[in-house]
Amino acid sequence: MNTCQTMNPHVRNISQAQSRLRQSATAILPALMFLFLFPAISLPAQEMRITQVDSSGLLVRGTLDLYLSGSFLPGGLSEAELMDSLKVTDRDGGDLELLSVEARAARDEGISFLLLLDNSGSMYDEERGGVRRIDEAAEAVARFIAVAGSGPDRLGMGFFNTRLEIPLAPGADPRELSRQLEGLERPPREEAYTELYLSVVDALDELRGTPGRRAVIVLSDGRNLSYADFEGGPSPVWGEARMDADQVARAYLDAGVTLYGIHVADDQDPELANIALATGGRIFDARETGDLSALYQRIREEILNEIKLSVRGPAINRPDREIMVSLGRAQAAREYAVPMIFGSAAGDMEPDWLLPLIFGLTSLLGAALLYALRMESAASSAELSNLDSGATVVLGTDVTTIGSDRAADFTIAGNPGLEGEHATVIRGDDGTFTLVARGKLRVNNRPVKKATLEPGDVIRMEGSTVVFDAPESPKGLRRGREERGE
């Protein structure tokens, strides 16, 4: 019997269906290839990021400085051609006057880097090959310091776990930075948590007021792990304070600082990439590259290759703004904060305000100069002076309390961030004065819980500034230190 004449109808139907599928696949294959390949071809050509908006010039010059990064530029365009091609608009769609374009501006200006290193307990775990994460990270940072510290860049360093320590602000001696890496030790259990969000926000204080390009590079092996979440009580450093991802991004936008992140383990913070992207930065995974030290240099090279734009600032009628830049199909947008003066946005200031403003600033400068001259002369007794109010208290007893409470020996009113007894100054038998903090404070821009005070030390407490003075003048103290080789 002929098998072709007796084929099962179901088999024949399957065969016909397979034939139709082959024909359909042949027809749609080119379209599918186009869909998959087109993004890979077109997206890199259109990538553009506004990595930083510096609005500090709005007050004095009425200008904004923007930094652009990405592979959006056609090859061969000069700065003059970019002036003609780039378009800058504000949130309301109005065109902003482009004043200048400068390629690779950071190569001459330098970059202010704050290098934040995770020093939590898990960083002391060993990776494959028996190398601890903290050792690999310290070596990578040391190599970066050796390269970036030899030029115009300004480097600072901080470590975080349950608490944040920033021993050196941007601009420190590279040799001192390297020495900080040599003294790292595993923290005790109660200090081994990863207060990632609170730390990266608090670290912004080190970059406020710093001109030019500013960036924080944070290296971590885990997610935001709060002391309070695991210990069931307030943190010994942060108390009940909490910070979410949106608040972190907002703080960086307001400060005009870019956040870059480097992951060195599988347990990654799920929001850090979004935070970095919102600030104009990026996240890198060291496990994918296999070369941790190269990631630091890659971040620096990206910033060095940025383009700086200066534009005439828009008429400001609110403290938050958005600016957009476009070149052909490539475009990027970025929010930024407007400097506030007497409760008003800088751009709202009428010309009639300028004269009183200049007079006020001149008065403040004169007061600061007079105070500096007074500090150069020997003090008759140990004392604390409030730079904000001008009040002074003589440290005539063994214990002096500082705080917002009226019963404090040195009352600082009008600062809701201060505790009733925020700090105590204790006079020792040897004539030294020790500051013991109950609330959050910094001495000479370093967070401390306890410090021996020296003449000229500046104490910052939640926005209030107090200076310690003593019979030995700062000038004499510096001379003594130089003679001792300190």
Side-chain angles (χ1 to χ4, degrees), residues 125-345:
D125 294 343
E126 291 185 356
E127 291 288 292
R128 289 181 296 272
V131 179
R132 300 186 307 177
R133 294 172 188 162
I134 192 68
D135 295 330
E136 184 181 6
E139 181 181 355
V141 173
R143 290 181 180 178
F144 179 71
I145 292 171
V147 175
S150 61
D153 293 347
R154 300 162 294 277
L155 306 180
M157 183 178 296
F159 309 99
F160 66 96
N161 38 52
T162 300
R163 62 181 68 246
L164 170 68
E165 300 288 344
I166 302 183
L168 296 169
D173 187 333
R175 292 170 297 182
E176 291 296 326
L177 292 167
S178 298
R179 277 195 280 269
Q180 289 293 328
L181 294 169
E182 297 171 0
L184 291 175
E185 296 179 351
R186 180 190 289 270
R189 190 193 67 82
E190 65 274 11
E191 295 191 2
Y193 291 101
T194 310
E195 292 282 7
L196 177 60
Y197 292 176
L198 287 167
S199 294
V200 297
V201 170
D202 197 56
L204 284 172
D205 285 343
E206 306 298 330
L207 291 170
R208 295 187 193 278
T210 303
R213 193 67 174 89
R214 305 179 290 270
V216 172
I217 304 179
V218 56
L219 180 148
S220 179
D221 72 337
R223 61 186 65 210
N224 184 54
L225 295 177
S226 170
Y227 174 97
D229 290 339
F230 287 87
E231 295 293 337
S235 165
V237 180
W238 311 98
E240 301 288 351
R242 292 288 191 277
M243 189 75 63
D244 61 30
D246 290 340
Q247 290 173 312
V248 176
R250 182 76 261 170
Y252 272 74
L253 288 170
D254 290 346
V257 177
T258 314
L259 178 67
Y260 294 88
I262 298 177
H263 288 304
V264 293
D266 295 331
D267 188 20
Q268 303 176 1
D269 187 86
E271 296 294 337
L272 191 59
N274 294 330
I275 295 171
L277 186 62
T279 70
R282 292 205 290 158
I283 289 291
F284 298 87
D285 194 335
R287 300 167 308 155
E288 296 177 357
T289 65
D291 187 354
L292 181 56
S293 61
L295 292 181
Y296 281 93
Q297 189 58 31
R298 180 176 173 182
I299 293 171
R300 179 172 179 264
E301 284 298 325
E302 284 192 4
I303 298 176
L304 291 175
N305 288 322
E306 291 175 350
I307 293 175
K308 179 182 178 182
L309 310 182
S310 290
V311 301
R312 185 76 63 193
I316 305 299
N317 51 20
R318 52 181 176 267
D320 60 306
R321 300 290 298 182
E322 185 177 51
I323 197 166
M324 287 155 282
V325 180
S326 60
L327 177 64
R329 291 184 298 172
Q331 58 183 352
R334 173 78 182 264
E335 292 184 7
Y336 65 95
V338 176
M340 303 297 290
I341 304 170
F342 307 133
S344 300

Side-chain angles (χ1 to χ4, degrees), residues 84-113:
D84 295 332
S85 304
L86 286 165
K87 183 179 180 180
V88 186
T89 59
D90 68 1
R91 173 183 288 172
D92 300 323
D95 290 343
L96 300 180
E97 180 185 0
L98 183 56
L99 301 175
S100 66
V101 174
E102 185 178 359
R104 301 178 178 179
R107 291 186 181 273
D108 296 324
E109 297 177 352
I111 308 162
S112 294
F113 282 112

Side-chain angles (χ1 to χ4, degrees), residues 382-384 392-403 407-411 421-427 433-436 438 453 468:
E383 60 187 31
L384 295 172
T392 299
V393 62
V394 175
L395 304 179
T397 59
D398 291 339
V399 178
T400 303
T401 57
I402 310 169
D409 298 311
F410 192 23
T411 302
E421 292 187 1
H422 202 86
T424 302
V425 178
I426 302 172
R427 181 173 60 183
F433 291 86
T434 301
L435 177 71
V436 179
R438 298 186 181 181
L453 295 176
F468 171 75

